[in-house]
Amino acid sequence: MKYLVLERRLKRMREVLERKQKDLILFMERVRNEHNFSALIRTAEAVGILEVYYGYEEGKKASINDAITLGAHRWVFI
Protein backbone atom coordinates (compact mmCIF):
# COMPACT_ATOMS: atom_id res chain seq x y z
CA MET A 1 0.00 0.00 0.00
CA LYS A 2 1.33 3.46 -0.85
CA TYR A 3 1.12 6.21 1.77
CA LEU A 4 1.48 9.99 1.50
CA VAL A 5 4.14 10.10 4.25
CA LEU A 6 7.78 9.16 4.33
CA GLU A 7 8.49 5.58 5.37
CA ARG A 8 10.46 6.66 8.47
CA ARG A 9 7.56 8.88 9.57
CA LEU A 10 5.09 6.04 9.07
CA LYS A 11 7.36 3.75 11.11
CA ARG A 12 7.45 6.33 13.93
CA MET A 13 3.64 6.67 13.87
CA ARG A 14 3.27 2.90 14.22
CA GLU A 15 5.73 2.84 17.14
CA VAL A 16 3.75 5.51 18.96
CA LEU A 17 0.45 3.72 18.39
CA GLU A 18 1.90 0.46 19.73
CA ARG A 19 2.79 2.17 23.03
CA LYS A 20 -0.73 3.52 23.69
CA GLN A 21 -2.20 2.31 26.98
CA LYS A 22 -5.51 0.81 25.92
CA ASP A 23 -6.32 -0.41 29.43
CA LEU A 24 -5.74 2.90 31.25
CA ILE A 25 -8.58 5.44 31.42
CA LEU A 26 -8.65 8.86 33.11
CA PHE A 27 -11.78 9.81 35.08
CA MET A 28 -12.24 13.37 36.40
CA GLU A 29 -15.00 14.59 38.67
CA ARG A 30 -16.25 18.13 39.33
CA VAL A 31 -14.28 19.74 36.52
CA ARG A 32 -14.28 23.49 37.14
CA ASN A 33 -11.13 24.97 35.62
CA GLU A 34 -10.64 24.78 31.85
CA HIS A 35 -6.89 25.32 32.17
CA ASN A 36 -6.39 22.37 34.53
CA PHE A 37 -8.81 20.24 32.51
CA SER A 38 -6.92 21.02 29.30
CA ALA A 39 -3.57 20.29 30.95
CA LEU A 40 -4.83 16.91 32.14
CA ILE A 41 -5.98 16.07 28.62
CA ARG A 42 -2.54 16.99 27.26
CA THR A 43 -0.82 14.91 29.94
CA ALA A 44 -3.13 11.94 29.34
CA GLU A 45 -2.36 11.99 25.63
CA ALA A 46 1.37 12.30 26.32
CA VAL A 47 1.43 9.10 28.38
CA GLY A 48 -0.73 7.21 25.90
CA ILE A 49 -4.16 7.30 27.54
CA LEU A 50 -6.83 6.94 24.87
CA GLU A 51 -9.97 7.78 26.91
CA VAL A 52 -10.82 10.68 29.24
CA TYR A 53 -14.15 10.86 31.08
CA TYR A 54 -15.27 13.79 33.20
CA GLY A 55 -18.17 15.02 35.29
CA TYR A 56 -19.41 18.57 34.81
CA GLU A 57 -22.61 20.50 35.37
CA GLU A 58 -25.51 18.53 33.95
CA GLY A 59 -26.26 19.38 30.35
CA LYS A 60 -23.01 21.28 29.85
CA LYS A 61 -19.60 20.42 28.43
CA ALA A 62 -16.32 21.54 29.98
CA SER A 63 -14.38 24.07 27.92
CA ILE A 64 -11.13 22.97 26.33
CA ASN A 65 -8.33 25.49 25.88
CA ASP A 66 -6.58 24.71 22.57
CA ALA A 67 -3.52 26.74 23.59
CA ILE A 68 -2.99 24.39 26.54
CA THR A 69 -3.90 21.04 24.97
CA LEU A 70 -1.71 21.85 21.95
CA GLY A 71 -3.96 19.61 19.85
CA ALA A 72 -3.86 16.63 22.23
CA HIS A 73 -7.66 16.77 22.57
CA ARG A 74 -7.91 15.57 18.97
CA TRP A 75 -6.16 12.28 19.80
CA VAL A 76 -8.12 11.12 22.85
CA PHE A 77 -11.76 10.16 23.27
CA ILE A 78 -13.33 12.73 25.62
Side-chain angles (χ1 to χ4, degrees):
M1 178 176 253
K2 196 168 190 166
Y3 295 99
L4 298 175
V5 295
L6 296 174
E7 187 61 38
R8 70 176 188 269
R9 179 72 176 137
L10 186 59
K11 180 182 175 204
R12 176 72 177 126
M13 291 165 75
R14 287 183 177 138
E15 289 171 358
V16 169
L17 288 173
E18 287 174 9
R19 285 196 311 262
K20 292 288 182 182
Q21 300 184 47
K22 298 175 187 98
D23 58 342
L24 186 58
I25 298 171
L26 175 62
F27 290 90
M28 292 180 269
E29 186 177 26
R30 299 182 196 169
V31 173
R32 292 191 178 103
N33 184 302
E34 81 174 55
H35 293 89
N36 291 341
F37 180 57
S38 299
L40 284 168
I41 292 170
R42 186 181 70 219
T43 302
E45 194 276 333
V47 298
I49 295 174
L50 297 173
E51 298 179 52
V52 173
Y53 294 90
Y54 68 94
Y56 197 64
E57 294 180 39
E58 190 168 337
K60 294 184 179 181
K61 292 177 75 173
S63 297
I64 295 174
N65 186 317
D66 294 342
I68 294 174
T69 64
L70 300 175
H73 63 285
R74 294 180 289 180
W75 302 104
V76 294
F77 174 79
I78 301 173

Coordinates of all heavy atoms in Angstrom, one line a residue:
M1 N 0.8 -1.2 0.0 CA 0.0 0.0 0.0 C 0.9 1.2 0.0 O 1.9 1.3 0.7 CB -0.9 0.0 1.2 CG -1.8 1.2 1.3 SD -2.9 1.0 2.7 CE -4.4 0.7 1.8
K2 N 0.5 2.2 -0.8 CA 1.3 3.5 -0.9 C 0.7 4.5 0.0 O -0.5 4.8 0.0 CB 1.4 3.9 -2.3 CG 2.4 4.9 -2.6 CD 2.6 5.1 -4.1 CE 3.8 6.0 -4.3 NZ 4.2 5.9 -5.6
Y3 N 1.6 5.2 0.9 CA 1.1 6.2 1.8 C 1.7 7.6 1.3 O 2.6 7.6 0.6 CB 1.6 5.9 3.2 CG 1.0 4.7 3.8 CD1 1.7 3.5 3.8 CD2 -0.3 4.7 4.3 CE1 1.1 2.3 4.3 CE2 -0.9 3.5 4.8 CZ -0.1 2.3 4.8 OH -0.7 1.2 5.3
L4 N 1.1 8.6 1.8 CA 1.5 10.0 1.5 C 2.5 10.6 2.5 O 2.6 11.8 2.7 CB 0.3 10.9 1.4 CG -0.7 10.5 0.2 CD1 -1.9 11.4 0.3 CD2 0.0 10.6 -1.1
V5 N 3.1 9.7 3.3 CA 4.1 10.1 4.2 C 5.4 9.3 4.0 O 5.4 8.2 3.4 CB 3.7 9.9 5.7 CG1 2.5 10.8 6.1 CG2 3.4 8.4 6.0
L6 N 6.5 9.9 4.5 CA 7.8 9.2 4.3 C 7.8 7.9 5.1 O 7.1 7.8 6.2 CB 8.9 10.0 4.8 CG 9.2 11.3 4.0 CD1 10.3 12.1 4.7 CD2 9.6 11.0 2.6
E7 N 8.5 6.9 4.7 CA 8.5 5.6 5.4 C 9.0 5.7 6.8 O 8.4 5.1 7.7 CB 9.4 4.6 4.6 CG 9.4 3.2 5.1 CD 8.0 2.5 5.1 OE1 7.2 2.8 4.1 OE2 7.6 1.8 6.0
R8 N 10.0 6.5 7.1 CA 10.5 6.7 8.5 C 9.4 7.3 9.4 O 9.3 7.0 10.5 CB 11.8 7.4 8.5 CG 11.7 8.9 8.2 CD 13.1 9.6 8.3 NE 13.0 11.0 8.2 CZ 13.1 11.6 7.1 NH1 13.4 11.0 5.9 NH2 13.0 12.9 7.0
R9 N 8.6 8.2 8.8 CA 7.6 8.9 9.6 C 6.5 7.9 9.9 O 5.9 7.8 11.0 CB 7.0 10.1 8.8 CG 5.9 10.8 9.5 CD 6.4 11.6 10.6 NE 5.3 12.4 11.2 CZ 5.1 12.5 12.5 NH1 5.9 12.0 13.4 NH2 4.1 13.1 12.9
L10 N 6.1 7.1 8.9 CA 5.1 6.0 9.1 C 5.5 5.0 10.1 O 4.7 4.6 11.0 CB 4.8 5.3 7.7 CG 3.7 4.3 7.7 CD1 2.4 5.0 8.1 CD2 3.6 3.7 6.3
K11 N 6.8 4.7 10.1 CA 7.4 3.7 11.1 C 7.2 4.4 12.5 O 6.8 3.7 13.5 CB 8.8 3.5 10.8 CG 9.5 2.5 11.8 CD 10.9 2.3 11.4 CE 11.6 1.4 12.5 NZ 13.0 1.6 12.6
R12 N 7.6 5.6 12.6 CA 7.5 6.3 13.9 C 6.0 6.4 14.4 O 5.7 6.2 15.6 CB 8.0 7.8 13.8 CG 7.9 8.6 15.0 CD 8.9 8.1 16.1 NE 8.7 9.0 17.3 CZ 8.5 8.6 18.5 NH1 8.4 7.3 18.8 NH2 8.4 9.5 19.5
M13 N 5.1 6.6 13.5 CA 3.6 6.7 13.9 C 3.2 5.3 14.4 O 2.5 5.2 15.4 CB 2.8 7.1 12.7 CG 3.0 8.5 12.3 SD 2.4 8.9 10.6 CE 0.7 9.0 10.9
R14 N 3.6 4.3 13.8 CA 3.3 2.9 14.2 C 3.9 2.6 15.6 O 3.2 2.0 16.4 CB 3.7 1.9 13.2 CG 2.9 1.9 12.0 CD 3.3 0.8 11.0 NE 2.4 0.8 9.8 CZ 2.9 0.6 8.6 NH1 4.2 0.4 8.3 NH2 2.0 0.6 7.6
E15 N 5.1 3.0 15.8 CA 5.7 2.8 17.1 C 4.9 3.5 18.2 O 4.7 3.0 19.3 CB 7.2 3.4 17.1 CG 8.1 2.5 16.3 CD 9.5 3.2 16.1 OE1 9.7 4.3 16.6 OE2 10.3 2.5 15.5
V16 N 4.5 4.8 18.0 CA 3.8 5.5 19.0 C 2.4 4.8 19.2 O 2.0 4.7 20.4 CB 3.5 7.0 18.5 CG1 2.5 7.7 19.4 CG2 4.9 7.7 18.5
L17 N 1.7 4.4 18.2 CA 0.5 3.7 18.4 C 0.6 2.4 19.2 O -0.3 2.1 20.0 CB -0.2 3.5 17.0 CG -0.7 4.7 16.3 CD1 -1.2 4.3 14.9 CD2 -1.9 5.3 17.1
E18 N 1.7 1.7 19.0 CA 1.9 0.5 19.7 C 2.1 0.7 21.2 O 1.8 -0.2 22.0 CB 3.1 -0.3 19.2 CG 2.8 -0.9 17.8 CD 4.1 -1.5 17.2 OE1 5.1 -1.6 17.8 OE2 4.0 -1.9 16.0
R19 N 2.5 1.9 21.6 CA 2.8 2.2 23.0 C 1.6 2.7 23.8 O 1.6 3.0 25.0 CB 4.0 3.1 23.2 CG 5.3 2.5 22.9 CD 6.4 3.4 23.4 NE 6.3 4.8 23.0 CZ 6.9 5.3 21.9 NH1 7.7 4.6 21.2 NH2 6.8 6.6 21.6
K20 N 0.5 3.0 23.0 CA -0.7 3.5 23.7 C -1.2 2.6 24.8 O -1.1 1.3 24.6 CB -1.8 3.7 22.7 CG -1.6 4.9 21.7 CD -1.6 6.2 22.3 CE -1.4 7.3 21.3 NZ -1.4 8.6 21.9
Q21 N -1.7 3.1 25.8 CA -2.2 2.3 27.0 C -3.7 2.1 26.9 O -4.5 2.9 27.4 CB -1.8 3.0 28.3 CG -0.3 3.2 28.4 CD 0.1 3.8 29.7 OE1 -0.4 3.3 30.8 NE2 0.9 4.8 29.7
K22 N -4.1 1.1 26.2 CA -5.5 0.8 25.9 C -6.3 0.5 27.2 O -7.5 0.6 27.2 CB -5.6 -0.3 24.9 CG -5.0 0.0 23.6 CD -5.1 -1.2 22.7 CE -4.3 -0.9 21.4 NZ -3.0 -1.4 21.4
D23 N -5.6 0.0 28.2 CA -6.3 -0.4 29.4 C -6.3 0.6 30.5 O -6.8 0.4 31.6 CB -5.7 -1.7 30.0 CG -4.2 -1.6 30.3 OD1 -3.6 -0.6 29.8 OD2 -3.7 -2.4 31.0
L24 N -5.8 1.8 30.3 CA -5.7 2.9 31.2 C -6.7 4.0 30.8 O -6.6 4.5 29.7 CB -4.3 3.4 31.4 CG -4.0 4.4 32.5 CD1 -4.4 3.9 33.9 CD2 -2.6 4.8 32.5
I25 N -7.6 4.4 31.7 CA -8.6 5.4 31.4 C -8.5 6.5 32.5 O -8.4 6.2 33.7 CB -10.0 4.8 31.4 CG1 -10.1 3.8 30.2 CG2 -11.1 5.9 31.2 CD1 -11.4 3.0 30.3
L26 N -8.6 7.8 32.1 CA -8.6 8.9 33.1 C -10.1 9.3 33.4 O -10.8 9.6 32.4 CB -7.8 10.0 32.6 CG -7.8 11.3 33.4 CD1 -7.2 11.1 34.8 CD2 -7.1 12.4 32.7
F27 N -10.5 9.3 34.7 CA -11.8 9.8 35.1 C -11.6 11.1 35.9 O -10.7 11.1 36.8 CB -12.5 8.8 35.9 CG -13.0 7.6 35.2 CD1 -12.2 6.5 35.1 CD2 -14.2 7.6 34.6 CE1 -12.6 5.4 34.4 CE2 -14.7 6.5 33.9 CZ -13.9 5.4 33.8
M28 N -12.3 12.1 35.6 CA -12.2 13.4 36.4 C -13.6 13.7 36.9 O -14.6 13.6 36.1 CB -11.7 14.5 35.5 CG -10.2 14.3 35.2 SD -9.6 15.7 34.2 CE -10.0 15.0 32.5
E29 N -13.7 14.2 38.1 CA -15.0 14.6 38.7 C -15.0 16.1 39.1 O -13.9 16.6 39.5 CB -15.3 13.7 39.9 CG -16.6 13.9 40.5 CD -16.8 12.9 41.6 OE1 -15.8 12.5 42.3 OE2 -18.0 12.6 41.9
R30 N -16.1 16.7 38.9 CA -16.3 18.1 39.3 C -15.3 19.0 38.6 O -14.5 19.8 39.2 CB -16.1 18.3 40.8 CG -17.2 17.5 41.6 CD -17.1 17.8 43.1 NE -17.8 16.8 43.8 CZ -17.8 16.6 45.1 NH1 -17.0 17.3 45.8 NH2 -18.5 15.7 45.6
V31 N -15.2 18.9 37.3 CA -14.3 19.7 36.5 C -14.8 21.2 36.6 O -15.9 21.5 36.3 CB -14.3 19.2 35.0 CG1 -13.5 20.2 34.2 CG2 -13.7 17.8 35.0
R32 N -13.9 22.1 37.0 CA -14.3 23.5 37.1 C -13.4 24.4 36.4 O -13.8 25.5 36.0 CB -14.3 23.9 38.6 CG -15.3 23.2 39.4 CD -15.4 23.8 40.8 NE -16.5 23.2 41.6 CZ -16.3 22.3 42.5 NH1 -15.1 21.9 42.8 NH2 -17.3 21.8 43.1
N33 N -12.1 24.1 36.2 CA -11.1 25.0 35.6 C -10.7 24.5 34.3 O -10.1 23.4 34.2 CB -9.9 25.1 36.6 CG -8.9 26.1 36.1 OD1 -8.4 25.9 35.0 ND2 -8.6 27.0 37.0
E34 N -11.0 25.2 33.2 CA -10.6 24.8 31.9 C -9.1 24.6 31.6 O -8.7 23.8 30.8 CB -11.2 25.7 30.8 CG -10.4 27.0 30.5 CD -11.0 27.8 29.4 OE1 -12.2 28.1 29.4 OE2 -10.2 28.1 28.5
H35 N -8.3 25.4 32.3 CA -6.9 25.3 32.2 C -6.4 24.0 32.7 O -5.6 23.3 32.1 CB -6.2 26.5 32.8 CG -6.5 27.8 32.1 ND1 -7.6 28.6 32.5 CD2 -5.9 28.4 31.1 CE1 -7.6 29.6 31.7 NE2 -6.6 29.6 30.9
N36 N -6.8 23.6 33.9 CA -6.4 22.4 34.5 C -6.9 21.2 33.7 O -6.2 20.2 33.5 CB -6.9 22.3 36.0 CG -6.1 23.3 36.9 OD1 -5.1 23.8 36.5 ND2 -6.7 23.5 38.0
F37 N -8.2 21.3 33.3 CA -8.8 20.2 32.5 C -8.0 20.0 31.2 O -7.7 18.9 30.9 CB -10.3 20.6 32.2 CG -11.0 19.6 31.4 CD1 -11.2 18.3 31.8 CD2 -11.6 20.0 30.2 CE1 -11.9 17.4 31.0 CE2 -12.3 19.1 29.4 CZ -12.5 17.8 29.9
S38 N -7.7 21.1 30.6 CA -6.9 21.0 29.3 C -5.5 20.4 29.5 O -5.0 19.7 28.7 CB -6.8 22.4 28.7 OG -8.1 22.9 28.4
A39 N -4.9 20.8 30.6 CA -3.6 20.3 31.0 C -3.6 18.8 31.2 O -2.7 18.0 30.8 CB -3.0 21.0 32.1
L40 N -4.7 18.3 31.9 CA -4.8 16.9 32.1 C -5.1 16.1 30.9 O -4.5 15.0 30.7 CB -6.0 16.7 33.1 CG -5.6 17.0 34.6 CD1 -6.9 17.0 35.4 CD2 -4.7 16.0 35.1
I41 N -5.8 16.7 29.9 CA -6.0 16.1 28.6 C -4.6 15.9 27.9 O -4.3 14.9 27.3 CB -7.0 16.9 27.8 CG1 -8.4 16.8 28.4 CG2 -7.0 16.3 26.3 CD1 -9.4 17.7 27.7
R42 N -3.9 17.0 27.9 CA -2.5 17.0 27.3 C -1.6 15.9 27.9 O -1.0 15.2 27.2 CB -1.9 18.4 27.3 CG -0.6 18.4 26.5 CD 0.1 19.7 26.6 NE 0.6 20.0 27.9 CZ 0.6 21.1 28.6 NH1 0.1 22.2 28.0 NH2 1.0 21.2 29.8
T43 N -1.6 15.9 29.2 CA -0.8 14.9 29.9 C -1.3 13.5 29.6 O -0.5 12.6 29.4 CB -0.9 15.2 31.5 OG1 -0.4 16.5 31.7 CG2 0.0 14.2 32.2
A44 N -2.6 13.3 29.6 CA -3.1 11.9 29.3 C -2.7 11.5 28.0 O -2.2 10.3 27.8 CB -4.7 12.0 29.4
E45 N -2.8 12.3 27.0 CA -2.4 12.0 25.6 C -0.9 11.7 25.6 O -0.4 10.8 24.9 CB -2.7 13.1 24.7 CG -2.6 12.7 23.2 CD -1.3 12.8 22.6 OE1 -0.5 13.7 23.1 OE2 -1.0 12.1 21.7
A46 N -0.1 12.5 26.3 CA 1.4 12.3 26.3 C 1.8 10.9 26.9 O 2.8 10.4 26.4 CB 2.0 13.4 27.1
V47 N 1.1 10.4 27.8 CA 1.4 9.1 28.4 C 0.7 7.9 27.7 O 0.8 6.8 28.1 CB 1.2 9.0 29.9 CG1 2.1 10.1 30.6 CG2 -0.2 9.2 30.3
G48 N -0.1 8.3 26.7 CA -0.7 7.2 25.9 C -2.1 6.8 26.3 O -2.6 5.8 25.9
I49 N -2.8 7.6 27.2 CA -4.2 7.3 27.5 C -5.1 7.7 26.4 O -5.0 8.8 25.8 CB -4.6 8.1 28.8 CG1 -3.7 7.6 30.0 CG2 -6.0 7.9 29.1 CD1 -3.9 8.4 31.3
L50 N -6.0 6.7 26.0 CA -6.8 6.9 24.9 C -8.2 7.5 25.2 O -8.9 8.1 24.4 CB -7.0 5.6 24.1 CG -5.8 5.0 23.5 CD1 -6.1 3.6 23.0 CD2 -5.2 5.9 22.4
E51 N -8.6 7.4 26.5 CA -10.0 7.8 26.9 C -9.9 8.7 28.2 O -9.2 8.3 29.1 CB -10.8 6.6 27.2 CG -11.1 5.7 26.0 CD -11.9 4.5 26.3 OE1 -13.0 4.6 26.9 OE2 -11.5 3.3 26.0
V52 N -10.7 9.8 28.1 CA -10.8 10.7 29.2 C -12.3 10.9 29.5 O -13.0 11.3 28.6 CB -10.1 12.0 28.9 CG1 -10.4 13.0 30.0 CG2 -8.6 11.9 28.8
Y53 N -12.8 10.6 30.7 CA -14.2 10.9 31.1 C -14.2 11.9 32.2 O -13.3 11.9 33.0 CB -14.8 9.6 31.6 CG -14.9 8.5 30.5 CD1 -13.9 7.6 30.3 CD2 -16.1 8.5 29.7 CE1 -14.0 6.6 29.3 CE2 -16.2 7.5 28.7 CZ -15.2 6.6 28.5 OH -15.3 5.7 27.5
Y54 N -15.2 12.7 32.2 CA -15.3 13.8 33.2 C -16.7 14.1 33.6 O -17.6 13.8 32.8 CB -14.6 15.1 32.7 CG -15.3 15.8 31.6 CD1 -16.2 16.8 31.9 CD2 -15.1 15.4 30.3 CE1 -16.9 17.4 30.8 CE2 -15.8 16.1 29.2 CZ -16.7 17.1 29.5 OH -17.3 17.7 28.5
G55 N -16.9 14.6 34.8 CA -18.2 15.0 35.3 C -18.2 16.5 35.3 O -17.2 17.2 35.8
Y56 N -19.3 17.1 34.9 CA -19.4 18.6 34.8 C -20.9 18.9 35.1 O -21.7 18.0 35.4 CB -19.0 19.1 33.4 CG -18.7 20.5 33.3 CD1 -17.7 21.1 33.9 CD2 -19.5 21.4 32.5 CE1 -17.4 22.5 33.8 CE2 -19.2 22.7 32.4 CZ -18.2 23.2 33.0 OH -17.9 24.6 32.9
E57 N -21.2 20.1 35.1 CA -22.6 20.5 35.4 C -23.5 19.8 34.4 O -23.2 19.7 33.2 CB -22.8 22.0 35.3 CG -22.1 22.8 36.3 CD -22.3 24.3 36.1 OE1 -23.4 24.7 35.8 OE2 -21.3 25.0 36.4
E58 N -24.6 19.3 34.8 CA -25.5 18.5 34.0 C -25.9 19.4 32.7 O -26.3 20.5 32.8 CB -26.7 18.1 34.7 CG -27.6 17.1 34.0 CD -28.6 16.4 34.8 OE1 -28.5 16.4 36.1 OE2 -29.6 16.0 34.3
G59 N -25.8 18.7 31.6 CA -26.3 19.4 30.4 C -25.2 20.3 29.7 O -25.5 20.9 28.7
K60 N -24.1 20.4 30.4 CA -23.0 21.3 29.8 C -21.7 20.5 29.6 O -21.5 19.4 30.1 CB -22.7 22.4 30.8 CG -23.8 23.4 31.1 CD -23.3 24.5 32.0 CE -24.5 25.5 32.2 NZ -24.0 26.6 33.0
K61 N -20.9 21.0 28.7 CA -19.6 20.4 28.4 C -18.5 21.3 29.0 O -18.6 22.5 28.9 CB -19.4 20.2 26.9 CG -20.3 19.2 26.3 CD -20.1 19.2 24.8 CE -18.8 18.4 24.5 NZ -18.7 18.2 23.0
A62 N -17.5 20.7 29.5 CA -16.3 21.5 30.0 C -15.6 22.2 28.8 O -15.5 21.6 27.7 CB -15.4 20.7 30.8
S63 N -15.1 23.4 29.0 CA -14.4 24.1 27.9 C -13.0 23.5 27.8 O -12.4 23.1 28.8 CB -14.3 25.6 28.2 OG -15.6 26.1 28.3
I64 N -12.5 23.4 26.6 CA -11.1 23.0 26.3 C -10.3 24.1 25.8 O -10.8 24.8 24.8 CB -11.1 21.8 25.3 CG1 -11.8 20.6 26.0 CG2 -9.7 21.4 24.9 CD1 -12.0 19.4 25.0
N65 N -9.2 24.4 26.3 CA -8.3 25.5 25.9 C -7.3 24.9 24.9 O -6.4 24.2 25.3 CB -7.6 26.1 27.1 CG -6.9 27.4 26.7 OD1 -6.1 27.4 25.7 ND2 -7.0 28.4 27.5
D66 N -7.5 25.2 23.6 CA -6.6 24.7 22.6 C -5.1 25.1 22.8 O -4.2 24.3 22.4 CB -7.0 25.2 21.2 CG -8.4 24.6 20.8 OD1 -8.8 23.7 21.4 OD2 -9.0 25.2 19.8
A67 N -4.9 26.3 23.4 CA -3.5 26.7 23.6 C -2.8 25.9 24.6 O -1.6 25.8 24.6 CB -3.5 28.2 24.0
I68 N -3.6 25.2 25.5 CA -3.0 24.4 26.5 C -2.9 22.9 26.1 O -1.9 22.3 26.3 CB -3.8 24.5 27.9 CG1 -3.6 25.9 28.4 CG2 -3.3 23.5 28.9 CD1 -4.5 26.2 29.6
T69 N -3.9 22.4 25.4 CA -3.9 21.0 25.0 C -2.9 20.8 23.8 O -2.4 19.7 23.6 CB -5.3 20.5 24.5 OG1 -5.7 21.3 23.4 CG2 -6.3 20.6 25.6
L70 N -2.6 21.9 23.1 CA -1.7 21.8 21.9 C -2.1 20.8 21.0 O -1.3 20.1 20.4 CB -0.3 21.6 22.4 CG 0.3 22.7 23.3 CD1 1.7 22.3 23.8 CD2 0.3 24.0 22.6
G71 N -3.4 20.6 20.8 CA -4.0 19.6 19.9 C -4.2 18.2 20.4 O -4.7 17.3 19.7
A72 N -3.7 18.0 21.6 CA -3.9 16.6 22.2 C -5.3 16.2 22.3 O -5.6 15.0 22.2 CB -3.2 16.6 23.6
H73 N -6.2 17.1 22.5 CA -7.7 16.8 22.6 C -8.2 16.1 21.3 O -9.2 15.4 21.3 CB -8.5 18.0 22.9 CG -8.5 19.1 21.9 ND1 -7.4 19.9 21.7 CD2 -9.4 19.4 21.0 CE1 -7.6 20.7 20.7 NE2 -8.8 20.5 20.2
R74 N -7.5 16.2 20.2 CA -7.9 15.6 19.0 C -7.5 14.1 18.9 O -8.0 13.4 18.0 CB -7.3 16.3 17.8 CG -7.9 17.7 17.6 CD -7.3 18.4 16.5 NE -5.9 18.7 16.8 CZ -5.0 19.3 16.0 NH1 -5.4 19.7 14.8 NH2 -3.8 19.6 16.3
W75 N -6.7 13.6 19.8 CA -6.2 12.3 19.8 C -6.7 11.4 20.9 O -6.4 10.2 21.0 CB -4.6 12.3 19.8 CG -4.1 13.1 18.7 CD1 -3.5 14.3 18.8 CD2 -4.0 12.7 17.3 NE1 -3.2 14.8 17.5 CE2 -3.5 13.8 16.6 CE3 -4.4 11.6 16.6 CZ2 -3.3 13.8 15.3 CZ3 -4.2 11.5 15.3 CH2 -3.7 12.6 14.6
V76 N -7.5 11.9 21.8 CA -8.1 11.1 22.9 C -9.6 11.2 22.8 O -10.2 12.2 22.3 CB -7.7 11.6 24.3 CG1 -6.2 11.3 24.5 CG2 -8.0 13.0 24.5
F77 N -10.3 10.2 23.2 CA -11.8 10.2 23.3 C -12.2 10.9 24.6 O -11.8 10.4 25.6 CB -12.3 8.7 23.3 CG -13.8 8.6 23.5 CD1 -14.6 8.9 22.4 CD2 -14.3 8.3 24.7 CE1 -16.0 8.8 22.6 CE2 -15.6 8.2 24.9 CZ -16.5 8.5 23.8
I78 N -12.9 12.0 24.4 CA -13.3 12.7 25.6 C -14.8 12.6 25.8 O -15.6 12.9 24.9 CB -12.9 14.2 25.5 CG1 -11.4 14.3 25.3 CG2 -13.4 15.0 26.7 CD1 -10.9 15.7 25.0

